[in-house]
Each structure stands twice: as structure tokens, then as C-alpha cells.
Amino acid sequence: MKSISGKKLIKVLEKKGWKLARISESHHIYIKQGSKIRLSIPVHKNRDLKMGLLKHFLQVAGLDEKDL
């Protein structure tokens, strides 16, 4: 699996129907209509997300590695 930054993950989430609820410092909080799940995506400049965190976000958001 390739590692991506928080900014790139946000673009993928928005294409899949996730909406920005708010920004809390360097974390962007995303929600999806009809779901109680909230994702707090860290956006620290252009640094890549750690693999475990990226896999967690993909699993919770219902995305696949192909979506990246």
C-alpha cells in the first residue's frame, strides 16, 4: 500500500460523499450523511499519514486501497 498525505486522503473522501463538518486546529472533521461515524483527518503540511492510521481510515470509511 502506498502512503499518502492527509490532504490527498481528504480529496478521496470528498469524492466518496464525505462532507467537511469543521476544522479543529490541524484536524479536519468529516461526516457522511446517514452515518454516525466521524473521521478526524490530521493535515500536517504535506506529511504522509502513518500506515496504521491510513488503514484505519480506509476501513472505517468503507474505502479500498484501489480508491487511493
Side-chain angles (χ1 to χ4, degrees):
M1 176 185 292
K2 63 180 180 177
S3 183
I4 62 171
S5 68
K7 288 181 182 181
K8 290 181 183 177
L9 180 59
I10 284 173
K11 289 179 183 179
V12 172
L13 288 173
E14 289 175 347
K15 287 181 183 176
K16 296 295 181 177
W18 290 84
K19 302 289 181 193
L20 179 65
R22 61 189 168 93
I23 298 175
S24 178
E25 296 182 19
S26 63
H27 289 73
H28 293 222
I29 314 300
Y30 277 83
I31 59 173
K32 190 168 187 177
Q33 189 170 0
S35 175
K36 293 183 179 182
I37 298 172
R38 290 185 186 157
L39 295 176
S40 177
I41 310 296
V43 180
H44 300 130
K45 298 188 181 178
N46 234 3
R47 291 191 318 189
D48 286 347
L49 297 171
K50 294 187 178 183
M51 292 307 288
L53 187 59
L54 178 59
K55 287 180 182 179
H56 172 74
F57 285 142
L58 292 178
Q59 180 183 12
V60 171
L63 301 174
D64 196 347
E65 186 178 347
K66 298 175 212 170
D67 295 323
L68 302 177

